[in-house]
Amino acid sequence: MNGKRDKKNRTVSSRLLLTIITASLFIILYALIMRFSELDALIVGAVMLACFLLAEFVSQRLYNFFSFRLAGADEEQISPILGNITLDFILKLYLPVVICDESGKIIWYNSAFMRAANPREVLYAKYIDGVCSVNIAKILEDTNSQPEDADAEDGVEAEAYDHVFRIKGYKITAQGKNYVITVWNDRTKLHTLQKRIADEETIIAYIMIDNLDELMQFVQEKYRSASAEVEAILKKWADSVGGILKEYERDKFIFMFEARYLDEFIEKKFEILDRIREVRIGEGSMPVTVSIGISRQHGRLADKDRDAHASLDLALQRGGDQVVVKNAHNTEFYGGRTKTVQKRTKVRARVIANELTMHMAKSPNVLIMGHRNPDFDSIGACVGIARLAMFCGVKVNIVVNQNDPSIKAATARVAALPEYSDIFVDNLIGQDMIHSDTLLVIVDVNNPEQFAAPDIADNVDKIVIIDHHRKTGDYKRRPVITYIEPSASSACELISEILEQALPIGGLHREEADVLYAGMLLDTKQFSRNTGVRTFSAALYLRSEGANPTEVQYFFKAGLDDFMREARFAMNVVTYRQIFAIAMSDADGTPPDRIAAAKAADKLLGVSGVMASFALVNIDGSIHISARSAGNVNVQLILEKIGGGGYYEAAGALLKNISMTTALQSLKGAIDEYMSAN
């Protein structure tokens, strides 16, 4: 501040000295003229005064010019000059510029913006979000924010006048008021080119016929015609988009097409699945189905090929008859309307048994867990894997909540065996048993949110997953073995097949066989639902190992309290869309109420006209939903829409921190979405 005052004082002194010098020169000149001339003194004085004023003006201008050029102009002098330069620059700038106030009201724009906009339209006093697709706050936010990608530009992309602009906004203050200068960069050509490149990018899809081998078991002579019919449908589909379809193995195809058609396929919900399903074989008129895995990732063809393969595997693990599309950030599922057909061969069970025993033999110890709130199928599968680990000579423990009343009958059954005296541990003790090479086997669940001990799963490097529910997605850490077979009736069925391949005859204790048998009875509703040849084959194996169906029935005896819990659901039942029955228990429930909800959902299927049933119960502020299907509705697809999962005829969901009314609305919305898609 003092520097500015001193500089101003020096400037005033310099100008005063220049004035004195000029005046002195004119006085001397006046004296000389009057001495040697006879002109009138008044006239000479007037002329000299005019010349003095003119000289003073010229000298001051010259002083300003040279002081600015040589010594640098001060802020007050240069501001008007810069203002004129800035205005002239903005006026002649090739980029459109719009100036508006803080609220986004337009107060000025240059000729470049006028050419980009409708020349007949007057934009003064209009708001900027009426001109483009964003408001002034969004422009300032994206201009000032730091992009996550170091190569990304700041500003925001917006559409205006059939063009795409990247708009940047800068705040300025003038005469005490705040304004925003927005600079518009036309990216239409670049955007069009990027879209063209994206549309022409190659998409890789793998297609596999799911069940032709199984359908052909009784009509072998029709295999060739059925396979040719399916291939013809796929070929026509590929030709419609100019794609390439090649069969690389029997009933397996690779399909390559341009990315622009993928959105069209998604919009039509992959109607190719319906066309294939119209192919019927044999007197039973069973439909042929296909599974499709698609990669929508950007990058190398090798990466796309790998992701498309993984998507196809996921589609098969979810039961087939569906399309899995893997994107950069998520995985999308389409289809899955038909029930899975059980495979007759046990080749895969033998392969899995060999791989599992090999990994167990290399591990210092094995931990086993099922899902939270375990049932007989979960605990039975854990017991079966424990017997396999004992056969391999490895230390084994089962992580489970021993206080859960729903599994006490099963744990008490095997507690008589000396090997099971200290095999059951809780989550905290299980954490202490983790070593660098510990093998964790997870059964009857594949959704990490439903694991009995998710922290243990996060800390173990080697994980094996064996489940019969449809797969819900990928995992943070890739399991060493993934055996997901939605066509199986229960996890106990899968484990029984593995034990049959791995253990010698008589290698399974009678008590263990009883628990495995109970798990199969639970999930098949006493062998009345979701059963196949392999189900009864597994039951036959357990029976040969000593399972006693009469004694197992005692596991299912319900007390009076359980009977009353089920009755509460029966008193509050509503129907929805004529074929759905929904039962609710409004009272605050306890863990046993979750089992009562599942039993209530089962009983509702006995009501005439009910194709699917749902039972909702509130436990500790969370809504538990149990769903059952009579076979015509895929309840797993319905509950997947609200974060649940399961398989075709039985599924469940857990909605946290939500009221019963909101949960009911979410369930109805999922049902509506499922019905509209089908």
Side-chain angles (χ1 to χ4, degrees):
M1 196 71 179
N2 292 333
K4 287 186 177 181
R5 187 180 295 111
D6 293 341
K7 184 177 180 181
K8 185 174 182 180
N9 291 336
R10 289 196 300 269
T11 301
V12 172
S13 300
S14 300
R15 288 182 175 180
L16 181 60
L17 179 60
L18 183 61
T19 302
I20 293 173
I21 293 172
T22 305
S24 300
L25 291 175
F26 270 91
I27 291 173
I28 295 171
L29 182 61
Y30 177 79
L32 291 174
I33 292 174
M34 291 303 299
R35 183 171 182 175
F36 300 104
S37 176
E38 297 181 354
L39 296 175
D40 189 328
L42 183 59
I43 295 174
V44 173
V47 172
M48 292 299 294
L49 179 60
C51 292
F52 169 78
L53 294 176
L54 178 61
E56 170 66 8
F57 176 80
V58 172
S59 64
Q60 294 296 338
R61 297 285 75 77
L62 291 174
Y63 173 84
N64 289 339
F65 175 77
F66 285 105
S67 62
F68 171 75
R69 299 285 287 186
L70 300 177
D74 60 28
E75 185 178 343
E76 293 181 0
Q77 291 172 317
I78 200 170
S79 293
I81 298 174
L82 290 178
N84 292 333
I85 291 175
T86 302
L87 179 60
D88 187 59
F89 173 76
I90 293 176
L91 285 170
K92 296 180 180 179
L93 184 65
Y94 74 96
L95 294 175
V97 175
V98 177
I99 300 179
C100 55
D101 61 15
E102 288 182 299
S103 65
K105 184 185 292 185
I106 298 174
I107 60 175
W108 184 87
Y109 47 90
N110 65 354
S111 56
F113 186 84
M114 189 181 302
R115 290 192 297 270
N118 185 349
R120 298 180 180 179
E121 185 179 7
V122 178
L123 302 177
Y124 297 112
K126 290 188 176 182
Y127 288 89
I128 203 162
D129 53 358
V131 174
C132 65
S133 56
V134 295
N135 57 25
I136 194 64
K138 180 64 175 175
I139 294 173
L140 290 173
E141 177 186 349
D142 285 21
T143 302
N144 298 326
S145 62
Q146 185 69 25
E148 295 181 2
D149 186 354
D151 297 329
E153 294 184 75
D154 58 352
V156 59
E157 277 200 355
E159 295 183 2
Y161 303 107
D162 298 325
H163 286 252
V164 178
F165 295 91
R166 178 165 288 277
I167 309 174
K168 299 181 182 181
Y170 305 94
K171 283 186 176 181
I172 60 171
T173 302
Q175 297 180 352
K177 293 184 179 180
N178 295 325
Y179 300 94
V180 179
I181 295 180
T182 61
V183 182
W184 301 49
N185 189 358
D186 193 342
R187 297 296 190 89
T188 306
K189 292 183 179 180
L190 178 62
H191 193 269
T192 302
L193 181 59
Q194 289 174 337
K195 187 176 185 307
R196 179 181 175 184
I197 294 174
D199 287 344
E200 294 178 354
E201 188 173 8
T202 301
I203 296 291
I204 296 178
Y206 280 98
I207 306 173
M208 177 178 175
I209 303 178
D210 295 326
N211 56 350
L212 203 52
D213 283 339
E214 286 68 38
L215 295 178
M216 291 296 107
Q217 55 186 306
F218 300 115
V219 281
Q220 288 287 345
E221 69 280 359
K222 295 185 179 180
Y223 177 88
R224 189 179 299 276
S225 61
S227 178
E229 186 175 356
V230 172
E231 184 176 359
I233 295 174
L234 293 174
K235 180 66 175 173
K236 185 177 180 181
W237 182 47
D239 291 342
S240 67
V241 295
I244 299 174
L245 179 77
K246 295 294 181 183
E247 184 177 15
Y248 63 94
E249 283 184 25
R250 175 175 163 176
D251 298 335
K252 295 181 180 180
F253 305 86
I254 183 171
F255 176 32
M256 290 182 287
F257 58 96
E258 292 183 349
R260 73 181 74 192
Y261 299 107
L262 183 55
D263 289 330
E264 180 182 335
F265 295 157
I266 293 175
E267 184 180 353
K268 295 180 179 179
K269 300 175 182 177
F270 286 95
E271 60 182 6
I272 186 66
L273 296 175
D274 299 324
R275 292 187 219 161
I276 299 292
R277 210 178 291 117
E278 291 175 358
V279 179
R280 303 275 173 163
I281 304 297
E283 297 178 358
S285 296
M286 286 291 294
V288 178
T289 61
V290 297
S291 293
I292 304 176
I294 298 176
S295 169
R296 203 176 191 176
Q297 307 274 30
H298 300 290
R300 301 181 307 166
L301 286 175
D303 296 332
K304 295 180 181 180
D305 180 81
R306 183 189 64 249
D307 290 338
H309 259 303
S311 298
L312 178 61
D313 290 340
L314 180 56
L316 294 171
Q317 290 169 356
R318 288 172 52 84
D321 186 31
Q322 58 192 284
V323 180
V324 175
V325 180
K326 184 180 285 292
N327 297 306
H329 304 292
N330 63 350
T331 303
E332 300 171 353
F333 307 102
Y334 304 91
R337 292 173 50 188
T338 59
K339 292 177 62 176
T340 12
V341 178
Q342 285 198 341
K343 310 288 191 299
R344 299 186 68 209
T345 175
K346 293 184 180 180
V347 174
R348 192 179 182 197
R350 184 171 66 250
V351 172
I352 294 296
N354 291 335
E355 290 184 1
L356 185 55
T357 53
M358 180 188 67
H359 283 289
M360 284 182 172
K362 294 180 180 179
S363 303
N365 69 318
V366 175
L367 295 177
I368 308 169
M369 74 169 71
H371 53 74
R372 64 177 64 177
N373 303 315
D375 53 18
F376 289 145
D377 188 35
S378 177
I379 195 66
C382 289
V383 168
I385 293 296
R387 172 47 59 191
L388 184 61
M390 294 175 192
F391 174 73
C392 295
V394 183
K395 178 176 173 54
V396 61
N397 291 96
I398 299 174
V399 181
V400 69
N401 179 11
Q402 299 183 62
N403 297 322
D404 195 318
S406 60
I407 61 169
K408 280 188 175 180
T411 55
R413 183 64 174 165
V414 295
L417 299 173
E419 302 98 310
Y420 289 86
S421 59
D422 58 351
I423 197 172
F424 297 103
V425 298
D426 60 19
N427 186 8
L428 295 178
I429 298 177
Q431 287 278 5
D432 296 334
M433 294 180 172
I434 298 176
H435 303 290
S436 58
D437 290 330
T438 295
L439 179 68
L440 173 64
V441 182
I442 302 172
V443 296
D444 199 32
V445 61
N446 66 74
N447 185 350
E449 295 181 0
Q450 299 298 325
F451 290 167
D455 352 343
I456 293 179
D458 291 338
N459 294 324
V460 176
D461 290 330
K462 295 194 300 181
I463 297 177
V464 173
I465 294 180
I466 303 174
D467 189 22
H468 68 116
H469 301 99
R470 296 195 182 204
K471 191 176 180 182
T472 56
D474 295 324
Y475 308 105
K476 296 179 181 177
R477 188 181 293 108
R478 186 175 181 180
V480 294
I481 298 176
T482 303
Y483 186 28
I484 299 178
E485 190 62 66
S487 64
S489 68
S490 58
C492 286
E493 176 186 319
L494 296 175
I495 302 302
S496 297
E497 289 182 345
I498 292 174
L499 295 176
E500 186 179 6
Q501 299 294 328
L503 297 183
I505 297 176
L508 193 66
H509 288 286
R510 180 168 55 87
E511 292 82 359
E512 295 167 328
D514 283 343
V515 177
L516 283 161
Y517 195 83
M520 292 181 61
L521 285 178
L522 176 71
D523 275 20
T524 61
K525 303 299 174 286
Q526 308 288 330
F527 296 114
S528 64
R529 255 184 238 146
N530 196 30
T531 57
V533 175
R534 286 175 63 174
T535 308
F536 292 105
S537 176
L540 180 62
Y541 164 71
L542 295 176
R543 190 76 177 87
S544 68
E545 293 294 310
N548 189 330
T550 304
E551 293 184 10
V552 171
Q553 290 298 330
Y554 286 101
F555 289 4
F556 299 94
K557 292 290 184 181
L560 182 60
D561 291 341
D562 295 331
F563 182 81
M564 296 302 295
R565 288 189 182 95
E566 295 178 38
R568 285 201 297 268
F569 288 95
M571 297 173 62
N572 190 6
V573 180
V574 296
T575 57
Y576 185 65
R577 298 180 72 117
Q578 298 181 337
I579 62 172
F580 298 97
I582 304 175
M584 293 167 287
S585 177
D586 295 328
D588 293 336
T590 58
D593 288 305
R594 186 186 59 83
I595 300 175
K599 292 181 179 179
D602 283 329
K603 290 183 178 180
L604 284 174
L605 290 180
V607 178
S608 177
V610 173
M611 294 290 102
S613 59
F614 303 86
L616 289 71
V617 59
N618 185 351
I619 302 176
D620 296 331
S622 299
I623 305 299
H624 292 254
I625 304 178
S626 292
R628 298 293 183 268
S629 168
N632 296 326
V633 175
N634 189 338
V635 292
Q636 183 254 346
L637 288 183
I638 294 176
L639 292 193
E640 261 191 355
K641 300 179 187 303
I642 54 177
Y647 55 96
Y648 195 98
E649 293 181 331
L654 175 63
L655 307 182
K656 297 181 179 179
N657 303 320
I658 192 174
S659 66
M660 181 66 73
T661 302
T662 306
L664 181 60
Q665 292 174 348
S666 299
L667 175 60
K668 289 182 177 179
I671 292 173
D672 291 339
E673 188 176 347
Y674 172 82
M675 295 299 289
S676 63
N678 292 278

